[in-house]
Amino acid sequence: MSSNKEQGAASFLPTDRTLLVLQEAVQHCRGCDLYEHATQAVFGELETGARAGRPKAAIMMVGEQPGDQEDKEGRPFVGPAGRLLDKCLEEVDIDRRKVYVTNAVKHFRWESRGKLRIHKKPSMKEVHACRPWLDAELEAVRPELIVCLGATAAQSLLGAKFKITQSHGEVEKAEGRPPIIATLHPSAILRARTVEDRERDIGIFLQDLRKVRDFLN
Ligand code: URA
Ligand code: SF4
């Protein structure tokens, strides 16, 4: 006998795979345990918030999972990491309106520390369970390029052996997918321990984003 937990999200996907329908359906997903302690599922979107029809996104950026603020608001990259991302996109002249942002995992995984909800990295099992939603988004949006922000997204799409430190900023080809470029996660940059580390990481991030911009031009 196999339970939903073993099957992941697949059986929760609707037959109509438009973003609007997917966005509604993901709220009922029980493909892993993460829905139990999250406020809501956070699906991807363009900055405009428009999910109807097929958005004109050239790039799909994939993060790890919603953070505290995303969990409460129900929108991806609206907290500190999203603000850093927006600032860096502006700096390298990538039009934010052409970027669809989403996450490898749609529910917030956290642990409590006092009154705070602290981000906890999703397991590979949870990432795998949630993949059908990401695949459906890719099919609906059909971006020209995927940008993986951080190791969780990169491992979801490029395999468990992929190393950001070695291969960030390179154009990767994976069977049946648009080209993929992986780079650092803005949350990881915000967690850098020293000012020097943070500046170095921002430099790497901007350099990779320039490659993204040049790839599209
Ligand atoms: N970090 C992520 O990976 N995704 C978000 O939506 C916010 C922070
Ligand atoms: Fe479903 Fe993904 Fe949420 Fe798990 S994290 S319940 S697979 S939407």
Side-chain angles (χ1 to χ4, degrees):
M1 212 176 71
S2 64
S3 70
N4 287 336
K5 275 166 201 152
E6 282 150 22
Q7 286 167 3
S11 61
F12 296 92
L13 262 78
T15 38
D16 179 348
R17 302 282 171 90
T18 55
L19 291 175
L20 204 63
V21 174
L22 290 166
Q23 153 71 20
E24 210 283 315
V26 75
Q27 300 303 336
H28 309 288
C29 185
R30 305 287 181 263
C32 73
D33 292 337
L34 292 186
Y35 72 90
E36 286 177 22
H37 303 287
T39 308
Q40 57 194 318
V42 178
F43 207 59
E45 64 172 27
L46 284 169
E47 188 187 35
T48 54
R51 291 176 179 122
R54 199 181 125 198
K56 293 258 175 300
I59 309 172
M60 182 183 287
M61 293 203 165
V62 186
E64 182 180 76
Q65 62 171 349
D68 180 69
Q69 208 164 319
E70 287 79 13
D71 170 79
K72 289 175 186 148
E73 283 188 40
R75 296 182 55 207
F77 287 101
V78 290
R83 282 194 291 279
L84 177 60
L85 177 63
D86 289 352
K87 210 171 115 208
C88 291
L89 288 174
E90 200 183 324
E91 173 133 2
V92 304
D93 261 327
I94 293 176
D95 184 353
R96 180 65 179 77
R97 292 168 305 181
K98 296 218 170 88
V99 182
Y100 179 96
V101 287
T102 191
N103 287 298
V105 168
K106 310 305 192 215
H107 278 104
F108 180 35
R109 183 177 183 187
W110 56 280
E111 57 193 4
S112 58
R113 210 166 294 160
K115 284 186 194 145
L116 294 178
R117 300 191 303 168
I118 303 295
H119 157 274
K120 192 158 188 250
K121 194 175 156 61
S123 68
M124 275 319 277
K125 199 171 161 215
E126 288 153 352
V127 172
H128 186 74
C130 213
R131 258 286 291 287
W133 295 111
L134 184 58
D135 287 337
E137 285 178 296
L138 279 166
E139 230 169 88
V141 178
R142 293 190 180 277
E144 287 164 51
L145 178 71
I146 302 170
V147 176
C148 292
L149 301 171
T152 300
Q155 289 172 353
S156 176
L157 293 170
L158 292 165
K161 291 196 186 117
F162 186 86
K163 293 260 186 304
I164 298 272
T165 44
Q166 279 169 24
S167 307
H168 69 89
E170 290 170 12
V171 181
E172 310 286 338
K173 299 267 161 57
E175 177 81 24
R177 296 199 185 284
I180 303 175
I181 293 180
T183 184
L184 306 181
H185 194 298
S187 298
I189 299 174
L190 292 173
R191 283 195 301 265
R193 268 181 306 225
T194 64
V195 177
E196 291 77 21
D197 283 355
R198 184 185 293 203
E199 280 172 2
R200 180 204 57 210
D201 288 352
I202 287 185
I204 294 171
F205 191 53
L206 289 172
Q207 195 177 36
D208 289 349
L209 289 179
R210 284 189 193 99
K211 289 184 189 157
V212 167
R213 176 201 62 201
D214 294 346
F215 180 90
L216 291 171
N217 289 335

